[in-house]
Every structure is written in C-alpha cells, then in structure tokens.
Amino acid sequence: MRLQIVTQKDEILPYLRDESNWTGSAEGISFPQSEDEIREALLFHAQRHTPITVQGARTGITGGAVPHGGQVINLSRCNRALGMAWDEGKQRFLLTVQPGMLFSQVQKGLADKAFNTEGWSRESLKVYRRFCSEGGWSFTADITETSASIGGMVSTNASGAKSYLYGPMRAHVEGVRVLLADGRALALRRGEQFARAGNFRLRLEDDTYIEGKLPTYRMPAVKNASGYYIKPDMDLLDLFIGSEGTLGIVAEITLALSKTPARAWGLLAFFSETKRALQYVQALKLLGGAQKPAAIEYFDRACLDMIRREQMEAHSHKGLPLLPAAEGVYVEFHQPAQVDVDARALQMRVMLQNAGADPAETWLAVTPQDLEKLISFRHAVPESINRIIAERKREDPTLTKLGTDMAVPDDRLDWVLRLYTESLDKLGLEGLKFGHIGDNHLHVNILPTDGQDYLRGKALFQEWARQIINAGGTVSAEHGIGKLKIAQLSEMYGARAIAEMRALKRCFDPLGALNPGTMFTVEENA
Amino acid sequence: MSLEIVVCVKQVPASTRVRLNAATNTIIREGIEMMLNPFDAYALEAALRIKTSMGGRVTVISMGIPSAAEILRFALGLGADRAVLLSDKRFAGADTLATAYSLAAAVRKLGTWDLIFCGRQAVDGDTAQVGPSLAQKLGIPHLTAVSRLEFLSPQRILCEKMTDEGYQEVAMELPALLTVVKEINTPRFLSLEGYLETLGAVVEIWGADDLDLDPSRIGYDGSATWVMSTAAAERCKNGKEIDGSPQEVAAKILETLTQQGWQSLTSEDRHE
C-alpha cells in the first residue's frame, strides 16, 4: 500500500500510551491524512486480520487510545477543516472537519475567522465568506483539555464545565462519516436514520444495510459516557457518538456552531462550609430557561489550599490574586445584553447572602480578560494535581493519579459529597474534590503517597462505584470507559447488557478488529 | 495623615485588530471592544493598596471618548473614590505632549496630590511618554518602571525600578509620579458588591472649557507630532511545513537551519 507503516520500535514508542499513563503494545503505526488513506489502512489490516487501535490526540485518561497489540491508525494528520455550510432551518453555520483537528484549532479558527480553506468547494467558500463578514460564532462544546481532537471528543461524547448549559459533544454534532472495519462507509446526518422499537437498519454508502437489535438496558438519567448511548427510537447518529471507536472510525465530523453570546461573565464565590456552598449550588440549579448558568463548578478547600500554596511558595498562577482558605463555587453566565448582566448581578447578591457568602469578597469577571483568569484557575486545579503526582512518581514510579468521573441524580448530590468526604477522612487518604457540580458530577482525585495508599484508593473507588450505581448514577460521566473502567461498566449494567453491547459491536465489526480491549475485555474467540 | 493619590488610566482596544482613521492615522476607538490598559490595572492596584495601608483617597482620571467612562466605573468598583473623564472633541487626536498637557491641567484642577500613578505604557500606542511628560508639566520628580514601593516616612518613598541590567533602588520625596510595571503586584478582581455599587456611580466629565488651559496646545492641532502613515506589519508567509516522525522532523529542521547559515553553538561559545 502507498500509506507508510512505521515499524521502528523507538518511533512507535510514544504512541503506545495516552494521558492515562497506561502503556500498550503495537507492531506498527500509520498516519493517514485523508478518508481514502484511512480506508487504505483499514483494508490492508483487514486482509491480514490485524487488530487496530484508533488514536486522536491521545489526551484521553481511560486508555482508549492505548493499543492492545496489532496496528495503530493515528489520525493526528487528518487535521484539516473541510468546509462550511449554512443550516437554513436552524439559522446557523455548520463546520465540517477531519477527526484529527484539535479542539483548540477549531476554537482559534472560529475566533480569528481564519481557517485554511484549501480544497474547499465553491459553495463552502461562499458560506465561509459570509461567516467571515458576520459577528462571532462559537463551537460551544467545552472541554478542559483543549488539545483533544474533535474525533476523540466524538468518540467519548466529551464534555466539560459549560456542558451544563450547552450539553455534551452529542449536542453539537450534526453529522459524521464513518468507515467500518471492512472499509465500507456510511454518512449519518442528524434526523435522517432512526431505530424503531429497539431495532435498527442502517443504510451504508454502497446501498448495503446493517441491521440489528439495540441493547435493552436503560441509561441512568444523569450525564453519562458509559457504554453505548441507547434509546429504543434513537437517532442512529447518536450510536456512534460515545462509542469509543469500537464500531467504526469517524472520518469526518460536521459541527453545529452557535452565535457567540454578547456577554460572558463569571463569579467565583467563597464559602466557609460545604453546607453553605451546596445551598448556593442548589439555588443556582433552580435558575432555568434564559437564566440558566453556562457552568457551575465546585472546588473543595483542599483545591484552594493547593493552589494557594503554589501561589505563595512557587509564585505561580500569576495574575490570580491570593486565594482565601475556603471552598469555592464558580458560576458562568452567557447573556445577550449588558442590562441582563446588571439584573442578574443583583439577583446573585441575594443568593450569595442567603448562602452566607460575602458579595464584597466574591470575585467577579465581567471583562474577557478577567474571565480568562478565572477559567485558567479552573484549569489549574487538575494541572497542579498532575504536577504533584509527577513529583511523587519520581520517588515511586508505580504511583499514578486516581481520579473519578462519576455522576449522580440531582437528589443524591448531598449524599455523594458526604460519602466522598467521610470515606477519605476515614481512610486518611489525601483527596481533592472538584468539578461539574451543576451536573452532580465531581471529580475526586486521590493523591497516593505510597503503593499502599494507591491500592486503598483503588479499592475505595470500586466501593464508591458500587454505591453510586445503586443510587442511580454512572461510573463515567465524561471520560468514557476505555480500558480502565471495563469492570465498572460491567458492574453498572450487568452481564446481559455487556453481551448485548458486544452483539451490537459484532453487527458493525464482526471480527472485533476495532479498538480491542476498549469498553469490553478482548473476546477469546474474536 | 491621609494621601491624595491620582491614577491615570487609558481605555485601549481589547484586540490587536484595529482600524485606523485614514485622515489622522489614529486608531478608530468607536464601536470596538475596549478594555482598561493592562499596565494601568497595576497602577490602580498600587494606589488602592496604599489607600488601605496608609489611608487616603484615590482619584482615577482618563482622557478619551465618552465610552471611556466604562473603565472609570470599573476603577470605582475596584475601590477608587472619584473618577474624572476628560472628554471633548477638542481633545481628540492628541499626541503624548498634548495629552500630558491636558492631563496636567486636570490634575491641577483636582487641587492637592501626593502621588500620581501611571501604567508603564499603554498597549496601543506603546510610547511610555505620557507619565514622564505629565510629571515634567507638573514640576514634580518621576520614576519609571517601578516594581516595588515602600514608605520610609509619610512623605518619602523607596522604590525599586526595573532596568535592562537589573534593579535600581531610588528614594524620593513626595509629591512624585511613578509609572509601574506588572511585577509590582497582582491586581484584585472586581467584587460583585463593587460592581453593583458602580451601577449608579457618577463619573465627572470635564471638557476643555472646564480646565485652565491654552486651547492651542490641546488635541490634534495642539500636538507637536503627527503620524504621517501607519501600516500593518506584513505577515511573512514563507513558513515551511515539515512532516514525518519526530526524529525525521528534527533532522530536517537542523538541515534547513544549517543550509541557512545557522551554526550550532559549541559549549565554548556558550561560555562567552
């Protein structure tokens, strides 16, 4: 084949791992630059019955991109924007990109109105000229790790702080082109092909069909990225979003853009007790409709202590005033006009006072520059945790970060926060709680100091997973299952559901060639 | 004793993409997103900290179009006590000399002052001239690029000034004017309460007739310098994309650089 396969061990080495810090093995890796080249690689490997792992930017933290033997198809060079269209029905622009394009590249292209339009169709260029002459348009999917690829975001149904208002990746995908393991292609547009009562019949581009039954499990009513997205009469586009590359390779994605809100502003409020912070959060969650916040994020006292320590000792986090010893709640609003900001600000004063916070000590960001500072504080929390872990790893290379990604129903938020705090205290483990409290989705990070801590933390996570599943929650709300949370997925849905999921995968990938070891263990007979 | 502190601030475009007035070659400030000049935020913070520790009153002053009142309101929300905007069509198109002359007239009108703060420079014009020029017009000493400040007595300060080589320590008597660099502090956030307080806050607007000045020395006509032409920097687009594995890419970069006359440093060179 024309596409080169790299087989030198030292050149493959960096591609054997992702941000999960797990390392796998592979015999070779290829870097296709187009759909044709992806197909070429797929067919080449299919003929040899070689298992394939698909990679984007390898920023995932559950090991989805870590190869399980066989060959890697790395999509990082499929990184171009392919065109733009106007959605007359919903009055918005649609941007089509290759899967390896980074989230940050899309954001920059939109902000600067500067995409490389080489090879775009005349129609696309016409729409693009209109896009350039209009006001701001945004891709409002939101993730903390901006170096993630769009394909990776589709694959895990990624989300972030602002998914509270805008929804996860799923809400922003209008279409995909998918290549199956045997090289056949299908083009899915939202609203075109649906399942009926749990059965589906999907038309491929060569006019052949794939038919099958959808799994019968019910997804928990929480933010969720565990297993396939299944609903009896679902839009079949949704089946591929969050499927972690186990059904096919997403070769092209059409993203829906929305008008940039005129005013984006944020508030970081500080609380002396968890109880008061929660009271404030509950009040914020009652704001609906046009009043709904874009993001509600929580940071426990340990998070603020960690950043403050770095501010004092390392003089890092420049531009951020010294944080107080307290818990923090960050809320962001996106509004159409300045007058709305003033009205909301007055309302927020009352809400803060009711929850026992001081509006005079609440940090307000009304300028884009100040907002950027608050957002970078939000991002600094996981980064600082990673730095601490990296330091400890130098002492003991077996240590890694233990991070949860579980979400619970609305009425269990109180309970889960207590569960986390009490069990960490009881075991004397160093833990930090932060994240998307608006979606009842907190990340708990345990910082082990030695191997024993690590094992105790791991056991604690299993225990939490069990209790959270019983409470109607999910084991993964946004990171996906990958290779690290297979046991938890099984615990969440049970053996029958896993068998149904495997059967669904076989409809699209009968030989189990794609992403073996992701979402399920490798089948012995595959 | 309580100090009278003045902070000069400027509203600058929030983006580097600006349009220029073809006739005057000055930046068109209407209708674009504007912000407080970043260096001025440090100047204001320095003033507010002195107010907290020594007691006193902070007046912010700016010259600009009516919408510049926004940044002054912002300064009031942060803790400034009084805000004055010099806004009059006759001030328009002023160079640094005419600006400093107008500001000096305004500061004199304020009456007494002990300390005047300015940011090191504005990020749009980048001249760093208005501060020193204002001090000269007021007949007071000034120090630029101040990164640290302490009071030796209520009327005497010790400053650390950043230079290309390092720092200078300078003690000076008040009244004085200081321009500050970002190393001096970390500006506070506006508080929610502060913001709400500014919703009804008054920014005083002064026109040329409100000040004791010579009308021939203000605005475009009173300027000693005019911008003859302005051009956007040409973007150099001969970048080259190199593809391949990290090793291949590194080797190709090295090869390309060597071809263009770049020589790798030996350890001896580095010690020179």
Side-chain angles (χ1 to χ4, degrees), chain A residues 281-343:
Chain A
V281 167
Q282 302 294 14
L284 287 171
K285 282 161 92 170
L286 293 177
L287 298 174
Q291 297 199 325
K292 189 173 178 176
I296 311 175
E297 298 278 302
Y298 169 76
F299 310 91
D300 74 355
R301 191 175 284 264
C303 292
L304 267 61
D305 284 348
M306 171 181 71
I307 302 285
R308 191 177 60 255
R309 219 168 24 244
E310 292 183 340
Q311 288 183 299
M312 294 195 298
E313 288 168 12
H315 301 288
S316 47
H317 311 289
K318 287 220 176 336
L320 190 75
L322 193 66
L323 286 163
E327 301 188 12
V329 175
Y330 173 69
V331 58
E332 189 172 314
F333 291 102
H334 292 177
Q335 297 186 280
Q338 183 61 40
V339 283
D340 305 321
V341 177
D342 299 346

Side-chain angles (χ1 to χ4, degrees), chain A residues 129-333:
Chain A
R129 275 195 293 277
R130 185 175 150 198
F131 160 80
C132 288
S133 67
E134 280 198 10
W137 285 81
S138 310
F139 171 48
T140 50
D142 175 49
I143 46 169
T144 312
E145 177 54 73
T146 57
S147 58
S149 69
I150 299 296
M153 290 173 70
V154 171
S155 186
T156 58
N157 188 30
S159 57
K162 285 171 231 165
S163 309
Y164 180 69
L165 177 64
Y166 297 109
M169 187 62 175
R170 186 178 308 287
H172 307 271
V173 176
E174 271 305 293
V176 290
R177 283 182 60 78
V178 178
L179 292 180
L180 302 183
D182 61 10
R184 283 186 293 167
L186 69 156
L188 283 146
R189 301 292 293 197
R190 191 162 289 288
E192 284 183 359
Q193 300 199 65
F194 291 88
R196 283 185 206 288
N199 297 300
F200 69 91
R201 187 164 193 261
L202 203 52
R203 191 180 63 251
L204 306 191
E205 230 164 34
D206 62 359
D207 283 332
T208 57
Y209 287 86
I210 287 183
E211 294 176 298
K213 258 188 164 348
L214 292 174
T216 53
Y217 57 82
R218 283 177 72 95
M219 296 186 292
V222 295
K223 180 175 171 186
N224 185 28
S226 309
Y228 297 122
Y229 179 92
I230 300 295
K231 282 187 174 167
D233 298 301
M234 66 187 288
D235 190 320
L236 290 167
L237 169 62
D238 284 323
L239 190 55
F240 291 87
I241 303 169
S243 66
E244 303 196 35
T246 58
L247 304 179
I249 300 185
V250 174
E252 195 179 297
I253 303 117
T254 298
L255 305 169
L257 306 181
S258 44
K259 269 209 167 111
T260 308
R263 291 278 156 206
W265 59 284
L267 264 184
L268 180 58
F270 303 102
F271 297 86
S272 56
E273 297 173 79
T274 309
K275 198 174 72 186
R276 290 173 180 275
L278 266 177
Q279 188 187 338
Y280 175 61
V281 167
Q282 302 294 14
L284 287 171
K285 282 161 92 170
L286 293 177
L287 298 174
Q291 297 199 325
K292 189 173 178 176
I296 311 175
E297 298 278 302
Y298 169 76
F299 310 91
D300 74 355
R301 191 175 284 264
C303 292
L304 267 61
D305 284 348
M306 171 181 71
I307 302 285
R308 191 177 60 255
R309 219 168 24 244
E310 292 183 340
Q311 288 183 299
M312 294 195 298
E313 288 168 12
H315 301 288
S316 47
H317 311 289
K318 287 220 176 336
L320 190 75
L322 193 66
L323 286 163
E327 301 188 12
V329 175
Y330 173 69
V331 58
E332 189 172 314
F333 291 102

Side-chain angles (χ1 to χ4, degrees), chain A residues 342-515:
Chain A
D342 299 346
R344 183 67 42 79
L346 280 162
Q347 186 187 8
M348 294 306 298
R349 171 157 66 183
V350 177
M351 284 168 65
L352 283 162
Q353 283 165 339
N354 286 344
D358 182 357
E361 298 296 331
T362 299
W363 297 0
L364 172 70
V366 280
T367 65
Q369 296 74 33
D370 279 347
L371 193 61
E372 192 52 48
K373 282 189 215 165
L374 285 187
I375 291 170
S376 40
F377 154 68
R378 160 69 183 90
H379 290 186
V381 171
E383 280 164 17
S384 294
I385 292 172
N386 290 344
R387 257 200 307 279
I388 293 172
I389 290 290
E391 268 168 38
R392 293 192 186 169
K393 223 177 153 67
R394 272 202 289 273
E395 299 286 312
D396 181 351
T398 63
L399 295 181
T400 56
K401 179 172 84 175
L402 285 162
T404 69
D405 183 33
M406 305 180 212
V408 294
D410 257 334
D411 58 352
R412 304 312 293 267
L413 177 59
D414 240 337
W415 166 80
V416 85
L417 251 174
R418 244 188 352 260
L419 171 72
Y420 290 150
T421 310
E422 283 170 8
S423 38
L424 285 170
D425 285 353
K426 198 169 132 200
L427 292 175
L429 288 169
E430 187 183 351
L432 298 98
K433 306 182 285 290
F434 66 94
H436 321 307
I437 201 164
D439 285 317
N440 313 309
H441 171 207
L442 292 171
H443 297 299
V444 185
N445 281 196
I446 292 180
L447 308 182
T449 47
D450 55 32
Q452 225 181 355
D453 256 14
Y454 178 76
L455 292 174
R456 286 193 305 153
K458 234 176 142 175
L460 182 59
F461 278 17
Q462 294 299 342
E463 174 56 23
W464 284 346
R466 201 181 53 74
Q467 294 202 36
I468 283 169
I469 292 164
N470 283 338
T474 180
V475 294
S476 174
E478 67 181 1
H479 297 159
I481 296 301
K483 296 185 175 65
L484 267 59
K485 298 191 174 172
I486 292 176
Q488 293 182 4
L489 179 69
S490 181
E491 172 129 18
M492 179 169 158
Y493 282 135
R496 181 176 155 198
I498 300 292
E500 288 175 343
M501 282 193 237
R502 282 187 191 274
L504 177 69
K505 175 174 166 67
R506 275 195 296 272
C507 294
F508 295 93
D509 178 20
L511 300 174
L514 292 174
N515 285 9

Side-chain angles (χ1 to χ4, degrees), chain B residues 3-272:
Chain B
L3 290 162
E4 285 291 333
I5 309 167
V6 178
V7 184
C8 299
V9 297
K10 185 180 185 186
Q11 193 190 35
V12 296
S15 154
T16 48
R17 300 175 153 209
V18 294
R19 287 176 306 135
L20 297 169
N21 179 326
T24 60
N25 276 306
T26 52
I27 294 170
I28 296 176
R29 293 173 192 275
E30 285 85 2
I32 59 167
E33 189 80 30
M34 302 294 278
M35 64 176 187
L36 173 66
N37 176 42
F39 286 109
D40 300 348
Y42 298 94
L44 179 58
E45 179 66 28
L48 294 173
R49 288 186 187 192
I50 293 170
K51 177 185 157 182
T52 306
S53 61
M54 312 271 300
R57 223 161 69 104
V58 175
T59 301
V60 278
I61 182 163
S62 186
M63 187 168 103
I65 57 174
S67 71
E70 263 320 294
I71 57 158
L72 292 175
R73 233 172 251 127
F74 189 82
L76 289 171
L78 286 169
D81 302 281
R82 184 180 180 190
V84 176
L85 175 64
L86 307 190
S87 196
D88 188 320
K89 282 211 158 58
R90 284 173 288 173
F91 290 133
D95 68 353
T96 55
L97 186 72
T99 302
Y101 176 75
S102 310
L103 284 174
V107 172
R108 275 197 205 96
K109 182 174 163 140
L110 288 174
T112 60
W113 70 92
D114 300 289
L115 199 46
I116 299 175
F117 281 105
C118 300
R120 185 182 74 172
Q121 67 200 65
V123 295
D124 53 356
D126 278 325
T127 65
Q129 290 169 359
V130 171
S133 181
L134 172 60
Q136 185 270 334
K137 302 220 159 5
L138 293 170
I140 58 171
H142 78 269
L143 192 65
T144 56
V146 172
S147 56
R148 210 168 59 81
L149 161 76
E150 67 177 280
F151 276 79
L152 299 173
S153 75
Q155 283 301 310
R156 192 173 161 78
I157 52 173
L158 181 66
C159 300
E160 194 176 79
K161 169 191 164 71
M162 276 180 90
T163 68
D164 288 343
E165 289 79 31
Y167 296 97
Q168 278 177 357
E169 275 201 342
V170 182
M172 56 203 298
E173 300 289 329
L174 300 187
L177 182 145
L178 306 177
T179 80
V180 303
V181 289
K182 63 184 190 318
E183 285 73 11
I184 194 168
N185 56 43
T186 303
R188 68 196 64 190
F189 271 90
L190 189 60
S191 75
L192 179 67
E193 196 58 39
Y195 178 79
L196 290 170
E197 280 168 9
T198 66
L199 289 181
V202 180
V203 171
E204 295 165 56
I205 313 277
W206 292 354
D209 293 336
D210 297 315
L211 300 175
D212 179 18
L213 44 69
D214 173 359
S216 71
R217 294 181 65 185
I218 63 168
Y220 186 77
D221 293 335
S223 294
T225 57
W226 298 275
V227 180
M228 301 303 288
S229 75
T230 315
E234 240 174 79
R235 202 176 277 246
C236 183
K237 262 215 165 174
N238 47 10
K240 200 166 138 188
E241 244 177 65
I242 301 177
D243 239 348
S245 70
Q247 285 82 354
E248 286 166 8
V249 171
K252 277 183 206 160
I253 292 175
L254 195 61
E255 191 192 311
T256 313
L257 288 172
T258 312
Q259 277 167 4
Q260 296 185 357
W262 180 83
Q263 288 176 335
S264 69
L265 289 176
T266 64
S267 55
E268 238 166 66
D269 294 331
R270 279 196 205 107
H271 285 119
E272 276 179 359

